[in-house]
């Protein structure tokens, strides 16, 4: 039982009481696959999976960008496609995920393709991919709520069915009551760890900033819900391929993340990149400075002994989201129905 510390320490002695296994039970197939191999071999396997997910995500983002440029009949981006891809490949969070064998790339790639297939009305593929993305539910929650608002009942039922199917082996081997009860308990252990608590320098989001200045973080989840509500209200003025990165951005800001989860900004970066040929110099500079500030290593700023300064990435993401909203509303004045929401 990976949710039981005693069982886990028997298999991974170095884990001790430091780490908590808080992934939902339907990660069982991936965990089993990696467990077949030695630690060194399993790192190669997870790296190969992550590289595939990164490639598929960049391909989808390029498709979204080309679709935008074609539908808008606008000028080509100021920055070349190869330069944009290179910038994403050397994004610190991309390297972080690959080096650590994290699952953020798997989740964001699956979520992005689930969104794409939901727009194509391919509900089976979308539901399957959404079930994979839900191994990181905090990243998916606003997308799921959006699908609920769209009344995509069949899609969500299919996704839930896949989640149940992926969890069956663990349910059969240990019983659903033990698995679910242990998982819920382990979530509490996970949240109580210093590594996952607000104030830790590798946590990311508005709650982390509020915690550092002594303001309660109790209601920050409501900010994310409010942002989603506003986006839903004005959805007809936004491009479908802009809505997805906005929802992911809100989740990163308000629902809690680690800094490596910022690899999920790649779709946001793509939808800004494809517009670089349509903005003035001042806005282009603002986008560039905000994006490339994400590359500044925290360790350089730690020498200043100003913990709040380490949260500059929150400001950068807020600016990038604000610019995307501004540009998406600006584009609404010239309709392009083939990539609008619901088409």
């Amino acid at each position: 039982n990976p949710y039981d510390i005693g069982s886990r320490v028997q298999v991974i002695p170095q884990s001790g009481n430091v780490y908590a296994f808080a992934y939902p039970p339907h990660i069982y197939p991936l965990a089993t696959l990696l467990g077949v191999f030695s630690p060194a071999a399993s790192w190669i396997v997870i790296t190969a999976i992550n590289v595939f997910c990164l490639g598929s995500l960049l391909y989808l983002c390029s498709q979204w960008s080309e679709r935008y440029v074609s539908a808008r009949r606008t000028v080509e981006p100021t920055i070349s496609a190869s330069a944009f891809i290179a910038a994403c490949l050397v994004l610190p969070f991309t390297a972080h995920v690959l080096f650590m064998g994290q699952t953020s790339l798997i989740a964001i790639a699956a979520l992005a393709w689930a969104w794409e297939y939901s727009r194509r009305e391919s509900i089976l593929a979308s539901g399957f991919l959404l079930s994979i993305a839900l191994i990181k539910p905090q990243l998916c929650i606003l997308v799921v709520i959006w699908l609920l608002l769209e009344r995509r009942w069949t899609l969500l039922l299919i996704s839930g069915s896949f989640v149940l199917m992926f969890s069956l082996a663990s349910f059969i081997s240990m019983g659903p009551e033990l698995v679910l009860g242990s998982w819920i308990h382990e979530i509490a252990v996970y949240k109580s760890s210093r590594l996952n608590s607000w104030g830790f320098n590798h946590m990311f989001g508005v709650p982390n900033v509020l915690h550092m200045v002594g303001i309660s973080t109790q209601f920050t989840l409501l900010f994310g819900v409010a942002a989603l509500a506003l986006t839903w209200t004005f959805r007809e003025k936004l491009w479908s391929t802009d809505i997805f990165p906005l929802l992911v951005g809100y989740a990163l800001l308000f629902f809690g993340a680690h800094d490596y989860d910022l690899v999920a900004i790649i779709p946001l970066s793509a939808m800004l990149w494809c517009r670089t040929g349509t903005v003035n110099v001042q806005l282009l500079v603002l986008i560039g400075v905000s994006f490339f500030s994400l590359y500044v290593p925290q360790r350089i700023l730690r020498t200043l002994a100003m913990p709040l300064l380490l949260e500059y990435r929150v400001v950068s993401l807020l600016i990038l989201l604000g610019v995307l909203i501004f540009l998406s509303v600006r584009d609404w004045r010239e309709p392009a129905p083939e990539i609008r929401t619901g088409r």
Side-chain angles (χ1 to χ4, degrees):
N1 181 359
Y3 301 119
D4 177 68
I5 291 177
S7 300
R8 191 169 61 244
V9 170
Q10 290 181 9
V11 180
I12 314 172
Q14 65 269 31
S15 69
N17 296 327
V18 177
Y19 299 103
F21 188 80
Y23 284 104
H26 70 282
I27 201 171
Y28 186 95
L30 176 62
T32 302
L33 171 66
L34 298 176
V36 168
F37 303 100
S38 67
S42 65
W43 183 84
I44 295 174
V45 172
I46 192 65
T47 300
I49 294 172
N50 274 325
V51 168
F52 171 80
C53 290
L54 175 60
S56 69
L57 180 62
L58 288 173
Y59 173 77
L60 178 59
C61 288
S62 70
Q63 292 297 301
W64 285 353
S65 301
E66 290 176 10
R67 195 182 309 169
Y68 170 84
V69 172
S70 175
R72 294 283 302 167
R73 298 181 178 85
T74 187
V75 296
E76 292 292 327
T78 303
I79 303 169
S80 69
S82 57
F84 166 73
I85 292 173
C88 292
L89 290 175
V90 300
L91 191 67
F93 317 113
T94 305
H96 203 165
V97 169
L98 292 174
F99 176 76
M100 293 182 67
Q102 281 290 349
T103 56
S104 304
L105 269 172
I106 298 173
I108 187 58
L111 189 62
W113 277 102
W115 178 269
E116 172 69 7
Y117 280 120
S118 73
R119 303 306 101 178
R120 298 181 189 179
E121 301 298 335
S122 300
I123 59 173
L124 181 61
S126 182
F128 170 73
L129 290 163
L130 179 59
S131 70
I132 295 175
L134 282 167
I135 62 173
K136 290 186 77 75
Q138 70 273 27
L139 196 62
C140 306
I141 183 64
L142 292 181
V143 172
V144 171
I145 294 175
W146 189 276
L147 294 172
L148 283 169
L149 291 172
E150 290 184 328
R151 301 181 181 181
R152 300 295 189 99
W153 312 123
T154 305
L155 190 161
L156 293 169
L157 181 61
I158 290 172
S159 180
S161 299
F162 275 113
V163 167
L164 178 61
M165 184 178 71
F166 293 150
S167 306
L168 273 181
S170 61
F171 288 169
I172 292 171
S173 64
M174 292 181 287
E177 185 176 351
L178 175 61
V179 171
L180 295 175
S182 300
W183 174 47
I184 293 170
H185 174 265
E186 195 75 346
I187 290 174
V189 175
Y190 178 88
K191 291 172 69 175
S192 66
S193 169
R194 180 185 68 87
L195 304 177
N196 307 306
S197 301
W198 299 127
F200 182 56
N201 57 12
H202 289 299
M203 290 295 290
F204 175 86
V206 171
N208 214 42
V209 177
L210 296 179
H211 176 85
M212 288 186 173
V213 296
I215 299 176
S216 173
T217 63
Q218 186 175 0
F219 301 105
T220 49
L221 294 180
L222 296 179
F223 297 156
V225 174
L228 178 142
L230 283 172
T231 305
W232 174 260
T233 301
F234 297 101
R235 63 191 181 280
E236 292 300 329
K237 298 183 179 181
L238 299 171
W239 300 78
S240 174
T241 46
D242 289 340
I243 292 173
F244 175 77
L246 289 176
L247 297 178
V248 172
Y250 301 154
L252 290 171
L253 282 172
F254 301 115
F255 285 68
H258 287 88
D259 46 15
Y260 52 76
D261 290 321
L262 284 172
V263 73
I265 70 165
I266 288 178
L268 168 64
S269 306
M271 297 318 298
L272 289 172
W273 162 69
C274 66
R275 291 175 165 94
T276 54
T278 68
V279 299
N280 57 37
V281 174
Q282 293 88 341
L283 200 54
L284 186 61
V285 170
L286 179 63
I287 294 171
V289 171
S290 300
F291 181 70
F292 286 105
S293 68
L294 300 172
Y295 290 75
V296 178
Q298 275 191 348
R299 65 179 63 249
I300 294 177
L301 301 179
R302 285 180 196 159
T303 58
L304 301 177
M306 296 174 63
L308 192 60
L309 191 60
L310 299 179
E311 301 304 311
Y312 63 93
R313 290 167 174 165
V314 173
V315 177
S316 298
L317 183 55
L318 280 168
I319 291 173
L320 292 173
L321 289 172
V323 170
L324 180 60
I325 292 171
F326 167 76
L327 294 176
S328 192
V329 172
R330 180 202 67 177
D331 293 340
W332 174 74
R333 298 171 185 171
E334 299 178 22
E338 59 268 38
I339 62 170
R340 291 287 293 281
T341 303
R343 301 294 182 92

